[in-house]
Amino acid sequence: MEILVILVPLALMLGGAGLVAFLWSLKSGQYDDLDGAAWRAIADDEPPPEMPAKR
Amino acid sequence: MQVTRDFSHYVRIAGEGIKHIDLAVEGVHCAGCMAKIERGLSAIPDVTLARVNLTDRRVALEWKQGTLDPARFIDRLEELGYKAYPFETESAEEAEVAESRFLLRCLGVAAFATMNVMMLSIPVWSGNVSDMLPEQRDFFHWLSALIALPAAAYAGQPFFRSAWRALSNKTTNMDVPISIGVCLALGMSVVETIHHAEHAYFDAAIMLLTFLLVGRFLDQNMRRRTRAVAGNLAALKAETAAKFIGPDEISQVPIAAIHPGDIVLLRPGERCAVDGTVIEGRSEIDQSLITGETLYVTAEQDTPVYAGSMNISGTLRVRVSAASEATLLAEITRLLDNALAARSRYMRLADRASRLYAPVVHATALVTILGWVVAGASWHDAIVTGVAVLIITCPCALGLAIPTVQTVAAGTMFKSGVLLNAGDAIERLAEADHIIFDKTGTLTLPDLEVTNVADIPADIFELAGRLALSSHHPVAAAVAQAAGARSPIVGAVEEAGQGVRATVDGVELRLGRPSFCGAEGLVGLTDDLDPEASIVAFSKGSEKFILSVRQGLRPDAQAVIAALKARNIGIEILSGDREPAVVAAAHALGIPEWRAGVTPADKIARIEELKRRGTKVLMVGDGMNDAPSLAAAHVSMSPISAAHLSQATADLVFLGRPLAPVVAAIDASRKALHLMRENLWLAIGYNVLAVPVAISGIVTPLIAAAAMSGSSILVMLNSLRARNTSRELG
């Protein structure tokens, strides 16, 4: 059962990393245009992926 | 006279030496368009960013500060085949975007916490029936508390705030039982954990928040998205005005940059974008959008003109008295405010459901606690059971029941060309059982049409069309469009207020007033038949022809009226136009009830009269004079060609020439309302099954979680059925 001391914090850290990644992607505007993102994924030659400057 | 275009009003500074502009673009719908636009715009030197947003149909552009004129982007997009217009985000829209992001952030936090708490809960559930040590269980419960408490404090904000607002106003709403449920469950769980109990409810509380946030986010997102698209359409109507920036120099500027006291030029065939007074010039103006009257009125010095009216024959200089947001008559604003205030009393289905729901749930929980105490249980056990009742009757299925249907139905309506302005418009539209149509611009098309094409030889008509291309007059534009003319006749001369003439192969061609073409003799014949029509004459040498131009009925108006009758909906016409014009339309469509020459106040009076009889009125209109009645009616619709004010007031806006979206929207909303009610019954049904289990005191968190998720998922799946509603007309 000592393994829990490693596994539980590890699981929480992984989950936390996921949450941080989600909040970062939200802040950087990646959910602003979901329809467009779906198409960009299969577009041939993508123009440089820059994000608009923050307001 | 030199004309320039000035878009500096829309440009903002995005960073060090970088400027930014947002453009609304029409016709972007696929990956191809996206790549084409981005590549085309990036090719302009100094452009640092060109990014299309396909969801909102907009382009964000950034460029290095310098000589680059934003008008260049519009031209470039035009070359690529897209109509674009600079865009100013309204503060309401920005607030909604921020709100949307906040909800998504809360949802992310809640979902993260749910997953991790569930990870800890499942060992506890299985451990309780096998060999788990009490210390290990306590450790897991404390860990759950560590995750769930801060997460709930953050993710619950939208509910706690709203509940607090409601309570401090001494009312109650859906968020009150939610907040009480969540707080009690968390508090109880902490107490239980301290007492080394077998069960804690952290998982249930946080999962409840997650499901509710899904519903809240869907509801919010639907409104945000339709508002964004509706905002684009308003921008794409390209409301600009030619403003004098010098005695002889004009600049084409967006209306937002026009202020009272400015002087603007109004050319023939242009729609006026401001309120003001004529200071120079003489012309006829078409005020059908404002008053519904299709006959032209004369404008000369000191005549007031209003936004939305069309200048017909001469050039006018207008001193602006009100521009942008303020372009309307005080009378109309006052009526509008009253009507809107009256309608805010309407209660949404969700609110009605929660008003019934909250007391029942709280009473059940209270009775459960008292019941167990009376039956001899300890206060502690009784309260634990009471909390279990509160959790299992969680309003999350109820919270999802309506927003999910709304989102799906709004998508369906969007496909058939209808945009929603108000969240509860679907519910109100579904209840409508009587329709009042405005005539001009609603039953009829806003543009003019040539009605007697069949009487004129094709080659003559084509010639008339080509000649018409040289004129700005709206009637001429209608002739040119009907003839499908492409190449103007070289050397055509326009005589103001008279018509256009040109000479081809030694024969003189004239298009214009009958007197200008020497065709007065022919006029009487057509005039009797069609009281609404404008007459325009065409002469080729000694051959004379009369063209009759009028606003035609929408192409499918008859079928739509028949379809509405088949759905047992009462129909009538209320128009500000003259009687003969209204009679003609009513007769053609087979509508027995009509009134002509009504004022905005009359329209409201009629709606109030119908309301008193218990009729739910759907008002369909486009004129500025319709705006108050649009607000007064139970629910309202406007075509996209409507005056800005009407469009902003209407609950729904439909696109395109056909009238069919009206029927499609009614069908979709009726189906959606049916599904909303079904969802509410499903949620209640689940509770009826689950509550006795909870009251009996044998509920475990596993049962609570399963019942809760099960009802939520069922409700979501049921909502997807709102997708297939598209029934053909007939």
Side-chain angles (χ1 to χ4, degrees), chain B residues 185-207:
Chain B
L186 289 173
M188 202 62 215
S189 303
V190 172
V191 172
E192 290 290 275
T193 306
I194 292 172
H195 289 108
H196 314 288
E198 276 192 10
H199 300 305
Y201 301 101
F202 294 113
D203 46 359
I206 196 76
M207 190 193 280

Side-chain angles (χ1 to χ4, degrees), chain B residues 81-223:
Chain B
Y82 301 94
K83 187 169 161 48
Y85 205 75
F87 189 82
E88 189 174 38
T89 34
E90 288 165 36
S91 52
E93 200 183 313
E94 268 173 17
E96 280 195 340
V97 171
E99 173 76 17
S100 206
R101 282 194 175 196
F102 177 63
L103 282 174
L104 204 52
R105 243 183 356 250
C106 290
L107 181 57
V109 170
F112 156 80
T114 305
M115 284 187 284
N116 286 289
V117 171
M118 283 313 271
M119 178 188 83
L120 296 165
S121 295
I122 291 169
V124 174
W125 296 340
S126 47
N128 275 341
V129 292
S130 55
D131 57 351
M132 186 177 237
L133 302 173
E135 297 81 52
Q136 285 168 353
R137 190 172 58 216
D138 285 352
F139 171 64
F140 274 46
H141 278 166
W142 279 118
L143 261 179
S144 301
L146 202 65
I147 302 166
L149 290 177
Y154 182 79
Q157 282 179 72
F159 306 103
F160 301 153
R161 276 191 211 154
S162 154
W164 181 249
R165 258 201 309 277
L167 287 178
S168 45
N169 289 336
K170 298 203 171 57
T171 58
T172 171
N173 62 11
M174 184 81 155
D175 295 326
V176 175
I178 291 172
S179 302
I180 294 178
V182 169
C183 292
L184 261 180
L186 289 173
M188 202 62 215
S189 303
V190 172
V191 172
E192 290 290 275
T193 306
I194 292 172
H195 289 108
H196 314 288
E198 276 192 10
H199 300 305
Y201 301 101
F202 294 113
D203 46 359
I206 196 76
M207 190 193 280
L208 171 78
L209 277 182
T210 309
F211 275 117
L212 287 166
L213 280 167
V214 169
R216 202 55 61 97
F217 175 72
L218 286 176
D219 185 29
Q220 222 277 334
N221 207 35
M222 176 203 79
R223 274 182 288 136

Side-chain angles (χ1 to χ4, degrees), chain B residues 336-490:
Chain B
L336 190 61
D337 287 347
N338 292 348
L340 281 174
R343 199 173 65 189
S344 62
R345 286 197 293 268
Y346 179 80
M347 221 195 345
R348 308 212 296 182
L349 193 55
D351 296 338
R352 271 182 285 167
S354 65
R355 190 169 279 201
L356 288 174
Y357 188 84
V360 170
V361 169
H362 290 151
T364 313
L366 196 67
V367 168
T368 308
I369 295 172
L370 296 179
W372 276 101
V373 170
V374 169
S378 70
W379 274 101
H380 172 265
D381 289 353
I383 290 175
V384 169
T385 315
V387 171
V389 170
L390 270 185
I391 293 173
I392 211 155
T393 57
C394 88
C396 60
L398 204 62
L400 287 170
I402 286 156
T404 46
V405 176
Q406 272 181 351
T407 311
V408 179
T412 321
M413 286 192 181
F414 188 71
K415 274 185 208 133
S416 44
V418 181
L419 300 174
L420 288 169
N421 262 352
D424 54 353
I426 295 177
E427 292 161 37
R428 283 188 276 119
L429 182 60
E431 292 165 356
D433 52 9
H434 191 91
I435 301 191
I436 297 180
F437 281 108
D438 170 47
K439 184 190 71 73
T440 314
T442 307
L443 285 175
T444 62
L445 286 165
D447 319 314
L448 298 165
E449 262 179 23
V450 181
T451 50
N452 61 340
V453 179
D455 304 343
I456 296 162
D459 55 327
I460 296 286
F461 192 48
E462 197 203 326
L463 212 52
R466 288 179 56 200
L467 187 56
L469 280 177
S470 304
S471 169
H472 277 303
H473 199 283
V475 172
V479 173
Q481 203 193 351
R486 288 266 178 275
S487 51
I489 292 176
V490 183

